[in-house]
Amino acid sequence: MTDAANPERLLFASTTQSFLEKGASLGRLRELHDAGKSFEMDWWQRAAELGWTSLLVPEELGGGNVSGNGVADLALVAELSGRSVAPGPLHPVSIVLAGLAEAPENHEQTIESLISGEIVASWAVYEPGKQWSPLDAAATATRTDTGYRIDGVKDRVEAAGDSAVLLVVARCDDAVRQFLVPTDAAGVTVEAQRSLDMVKTYARVQFDGVEVEATAVVGSAEQTPTLIERQSQIAAILQCAEIVGILETVLDFTIQWGFDRHSFGRPIGSYQALKHKYADLKIWFESCRATTNAAVAEVAARSPGAEMAVSIAKSYVGEHAPGMLQDCIQLHGGIGVTWEHDLHIFLRRATLYRSLFGTPEEHNLRVYALTKMGPRAWAHAQAGDRGLENAS
């Protein structure tokens, strides 16, 4: 995703890569896992100083980017992060900032704190027992004399235990709205959930009569569906970009392993059966990269085709990446299934991402809706109309 014609972007990429190699290596990841930590705040603040948190925020709000395309720059950071399966709250902080940057009124201080890395935030959108349906919120926000009372439960909230504030999706007056809720507010309970990933943490968050001020609301009722769609798109392309980085790294060292390992006096990678498998993996990888790049470009341009491009990328990458990594494990033989080898670390991250912010099956339905029935059909499906699945 680097542009050879843009020296500023090349410098940004090399600086980011160097920072990740020094402070987010696979060895460091194992150390964090053994210590029961997700990431270290001082490391995240240094990442923020490199500009990771400012890329989606306009200059008038304290943000900025290196290439004039903040979405592409952020996707580049995600791809480089995937090469070492880096820790840190890049995804949740970026998703929250994507929404706040579109509706900054009353939230300038929060934006500033997130950009500086002083605090971490996350998006509370999933609910127990529900698939990916961000506009179908069961949590409620009831108007009070001074603001709103938030009630309900959210789960699969990334880095909730490390977050100072959550962007909560809730239903208010028959409309879906978003609210910034401090995690230390009375009535907020954060309960850790098990995670497949080595360091990424998730939590179930209970909101029991949580009182927030009127200024906690983000955007108008009319604006909220557009904000949520934008945040969903950012979430999906970050996942896809990171998986592209994961796949590139794993394919490189898997193919190298094939030429380092010998059988009957010749590298096992020289055998035709393995060459065919390498070719298949390379084709699938380039397709993952192409669909991801297309989605990043559409989202960056705010194109009418962004919804379609994002769902195509999320479906294709989510469907193929875990199987590709499983193939790489098999190509390594017995050592590939050991704890000591790093392959499982990459597989864990890719498998986790397959299920978050829409599975391939859910995005296939979205593509169907956008192709055959238009955006309105998908909106009805998100709101609980299961007729779409029956029609397909």
Side-chain angles (χ1 to χ4, degrees):
M1 289 187 183
T2 55
D3 182 2
N6 190 326
E8 290 82 6
R9 197 156 191 258
L10 285 174
L11 177 61
F12 178 66
S14 63
T15 303
T16 297
Q17 183 65 38
S18 176
F19 175 75
L20 288 167
E21 289 174 352
K22 292 178 180 178
S25 64
L26 290 170
R28 181 58 184 149
L29 191 82
R30 288 179 180 271
E31 291 175 0
L32 289 171
H33 172 75
D34 292 340
K37 295 182 179 180
S38 178
F39 63 94
E40 295 179 328
M41 277 301 297
D42 60 343
W43 178 87
W44 175 244
Q45 288 170 355
R46 293 198 301 274
E49 291 173 359
L50 292 179
W52 292 11
T53 53
S54 68
L55 299 173
L56 299 181
V57 181
E59 291 183 5
E60 58 268 23
L61 293 173
N65 56 76
V66 296
S67 71
N69 188 337
V71 172
D73 292 340
L74 183 60
L76 172 62
V77 174
E79 181 180 330
L80 294 174
S81 297
R83 295 180 183 178
S84 60
V85 202
L90 176 69
H91 291 225
V93 169
S94 299
I95 294 166
V96 171
L97 282 171
L100 296 182
E102 302 288 316
E105 185 178 0
N106 299 318
H107 307 302
E108 292 84 357
Q109 183 59 51
T110 300
I111 293 173
E112 181 181 343
S113 297
L114 289 171
I115 291 176
S116 68
E118 179 184 345
I119 65 170
V120 169
S122 189
W123 195 23
V125 59
Y126 268 108
E127 295 184 343
K130 287 189 176 183
Q131 296 179 322
W132 177 237
S133 52
L135 295 179
D136 182 21
T140 61
T142 307
R143 294 183 185 272
T144 65
D145 293 339
T146 59
Y148 299 89
R149 187 186 73 245
I150 311 295
D151 294 279
V153 181
K154 298 289 183 178
D155 69 354
R156 289 161 280 183
V157 183
E158 184 178 349
D162 297 297
S163 296
V165 64
L166 301 176
L167 183 57
V168 182
V169 180
R171 185 161 295 277
C172 178
D173 298 334
D174 296 323
V176 175
R177 307 294 299 275
Q178 296 192 108
F179 303 85
L180 278 179
V181 180
T183 53
D184 61 358
V188 177
T189 304
V190 179
E191 179 184 353
Q193 293 179 303
R194 295 185 63 185
S195 172
L196 179 65
D197 194 82
M198 292 278 283
V199 292
K200 275 187 176 286
T201 59
Y202 294 83
R204 178 183 184 273
V205 184
Q206 174 83 38
F207 301 92
D208 187 9
V210 180
E211 299 280 349
V212 296
E213 297 179 355
T215 55
V217 68
V218 177
S220 65
E222 295 75 20
Q223 190 180 15
T224 298
T226 302
L227 294 179
I228 290 177
E229 176 58 31
R230 179 70 173 177
Q231 293 164 218
S232 300
Q233 291 175 5
I234 294 297
I237 63 172
L238 285 178
Q239 286 186 343
C240 291
E242 186 172 337
I243 290 175
V244 167
I246 287 173
L247 292 175
E248 183 172 23
T249 300
V250 173
L251 288 183
D252 284 349
F253 70 63
T254 297
I255 293 172
Q256 186 61 49
W257 169 260
F259 288 97
D260 290 342
R261 184 74 172 173
H262 286 65
S263 175
F264 299 104
R266 26 181 317 203
I268 61 174
S270 66
Y271 290 97
Q272 188 175 31
L274 269 66
K275 287 182 178 180
H276 286 179
K277 177 56 69 174
Y278 294 153
D280 288 341
L281 290 170
K282 181 64 172 177
I283 291 171
W284 293 329
F285 166 69
E286 292 297 340
S287 297
C288 288
R289 179 157 62 182
T291 55
T292 297
N293 288 346
V296 169
E298 295 287 325
V299 173
R302 299 179 183 269
S303 165
E307 293 181 61
M308 176 74 79
V310 167
S311 284
I312 290 172
K314 187 67 168 68
S315 174
Y316 190 90
V317 174
E319 182 66 30
H320 284 81
M324 293 170 65
L325 294 172
Q326 290 281 8
D327 284 343
C328 290
I329 290 175
Q330 295 301 317
L331 289 168
H332 274 78
I335 195 174
V337 297
T338 62
W339 175 264
E340 289 75 16
H341 201 281
D342 293 328
L343 269 166
H344 69 95
I345 302 177
F346 295 93
L347 178 61
R348 287 168 182 270
R349 182 70 58 88
T351 303
L352 173 69
Y353 284 169
R354 185 191 189 279
S355 65
L356 290 177
F357 302 117
T359 64
E361 295 78 11
E362 290 169 321
H363 281 282
N364 287 341
L365 289 172
R366 185 177 191 181
V367 171
Y368 173 83
L370 293 171
T371 303
K372 300 297 184 182
M373 301 180 183
R376 289 183 179 272
W378 177 248
H380 287 306
Q382 284 187 307
D385 182 359
R386 311 316 295 176
L388 178 62
E389 285 89 336
N390 296 332
S392 63

